[in-house]
């Protein structure tokens, strides 16, 4: 499945092509894999990634870590025309990962996984953040919101009917996580220092230190039971959303068939 969220303007083909090149690609990844596919995923990882995976106590958590990081290597390899195993990562002081080695500066990326889903966002130049959360019953949603969210977000959630609250809370949460990742500050950014919309189908950045004009925020399609968001630190940037095929761990050819 591919869904194009490009914001295009008619009458200027060169401009439209440039805008397409600037757009962010988001890959949706199903982490539910066979034993054979899990083994292929582990084979793609670096020694450091394998060591990190082995620290998980639960097998399911280890498999999902390995699968999500293998998918990141495959999609980056496809984007860069490089061997996925040879891709080198480093980490900023804020713990935000970035490409190092021969591919340094060639692409920005963001990875998020929750439950059996992962999202990978890739951008040629803009800083990005993506987030996916498994939607689950939480009796203390408003308490969490009051402790961490901005005042207008809290008021919007408090005005909802109980049946609407869970979806709205997770829409807000994923958008705030995506924005925090795109700033490069991650968890060090106070979540009440900016505000986003809580309506599940309409993603807006309402307030931000320094203003909201240089931002794009997207509500992405999501698998049933999940909430997703993409934040781009650039104005008027679109998103191309695609799903990896079920046999994606078998190699880059499966991804290339989907197009960039």
């Amino acid at each position: 499945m591919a869904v194009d969220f490009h914001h295009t303007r008619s009458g200027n083909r060169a401009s439209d092509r440039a805008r397409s090149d600037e757009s962010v690609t988001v890959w949706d990844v199903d982490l539910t894999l066979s034993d054979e596919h899990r083994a292929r995923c582990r084979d793609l990882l670096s020694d450091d990634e394998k060591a990190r995976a082995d620290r998980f106590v639960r097998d399911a958590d280890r498999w999902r870590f390995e699968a999500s990081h293998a998918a990141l290597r495959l999609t980056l390899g496809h984007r860069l025309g490089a061997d996925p195993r040879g891709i080198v990562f480093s980490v900023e002081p804020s713990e935000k990962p970035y490409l190092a080695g021969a591919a340094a500066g060639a692409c920005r990326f963001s990875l998020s996984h929750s439950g059996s889903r992962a999202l990978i966002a890739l951008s040629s130049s803009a800083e990005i953040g993506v987030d996916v959360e498994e939607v689950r019953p939480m009796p203390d949603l408003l308490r969490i919101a009051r402790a961490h969210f901005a005042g207008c977000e809290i008021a919007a959630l408090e005005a909802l009917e109980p049946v609407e609250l869970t979806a709205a809370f997770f829409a807000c949460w994923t958008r705030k996580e995506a924005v925090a990742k795109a700033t490069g500050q991650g968890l060090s950014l106070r979540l009440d220092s900016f505000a986003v919309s809580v309506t599940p189908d309409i993603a807006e950045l309402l307030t931000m230190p320094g203003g909201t004009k240089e931002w794009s925020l997207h509500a992405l399609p999501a698998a049933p039971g999940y909430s997703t968001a993409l934040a781009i630190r650039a104005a008027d940037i679109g998103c191309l959303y695609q799903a990896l095929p079920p046999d994606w761990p078998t190699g880059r050819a499966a991804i290339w068939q989907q197009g960039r």
Side-chain angles (χ1 to χ4, degrees), residues 148-154 172-183 185-186 188-197 204-212 215 217 231:
H148 300 286
F149 289 180
C152 63
E153 296 165 337
I154 297 168
C172 183
W173 183 268
T174 54
R175 291 166 194 172
K176 294 180 83 66
E177 287 286 323
V179 170
K181 291 178 181 180
T183 66
Q185 299 179 59
S188 66
L189 178 66
R190 289 182 58 91
L191 293 181
D192 61 0
S193 67
F194 64 98
V196 300
S197 60
E204 293 183 89
L205 182 59
L206 303 177
T207 65
M208 189 73 187
T212 62
W215 285 87
L217 190 60

Side-chain angles (χ1 to χ4, degrees), residues 2-199:
V3 181
D4 192 348
F5 288 93
H6 293 316
H7 302 296
T8 59
R9 299 171 184 170
S10 61
N12 189 330
R13 291 185 180 179
S15 174
D16 288 349
R17 284 196 301 270
R19 190 172 302 276
S20 178
D21 291 342
E22 293 170 357
S23 295
V24 174
T25 300
V26 177
W27 293 99
D28 177 70
V29 189
D30 187 349
L31 303 179
T32 305
L33 303 174
S34 66
D35 290 343
E36 178 186 357
H37 284 171
R38 285 200 295 265
R40 286 178 178 269
C41 287
R42 185 173 176 86
D43 185 54
L44 288 169
L45 304 183
S46 67
D47 290 341
D48 176 67
E49 288 168 325
K50 292 175 183 177
R52 290 169 60 192
D54 289 342
R55 288 197 287 269
F56 286 99
V57 175
R58 297 176 63 243
D59 287 343
D61 294 332
R62 183 176 72 254
W63 293 336
R64 289 167 180 169
F65 175 91
E66 291 175 347
S68 60
H69 284 74
L72 175 62
R73 285 184 171 274
L74 284 169
T75 53
L76 280 170
H78 159 57
R79 177 82 170 226
L80 303 172
D83 182 351
R85 294 179 181 84
I87 293 173
V88 179
F89 299 103
S90 191
V91 181
E92 296 176 354
S94 64
E95 298 188 357
K96 183 176 182 178
Y98 63 92
L99 286 173
C107 182
R108 273 74 169 175
F109 64 89
S110 181
L111 166 66
S112 176
H113 63 91
S114 177
S116 63
R117 312 301 301 188
L119 285 182
I120 297 166
L122 306 177
S123 169
S124 296
S125 58
E127 296 297 337
I128 51 177
V130 72
D131 193 60
V132 57
E133 296 290 340
E134 186 174 17
V135 177
R136 55 201 181 278
M138 295 176 63
D140 55 351
L141 291 182
L142 285 177
R143 180 189 64 79
I144 295 172
R146 290 167 183 146
H148 300 286
F149 289 180
C152 63
E153 296 165 337
I154 297 168
L157 291 171
E158 289 176 335
L160 295 175
E161 296 296 328
V163 69
E164 302 173 300
L165 183 57
T166 298
F169 173 88
F170 278 97
C172 183
W173 183 268
T174 54
R175 291 166 194 172
K176 294 180 83 66
E177 287 286 323
V179 170
K181 291 178 181 180
T183 66
Q185 299 179 59
L187 295 177
S188 66
L189 178 66
R190 289 182 58 91
L191 293 181
D192 61 0
S193 67
F194 64 98
V196 300
S197 60
V198 306
T199 305

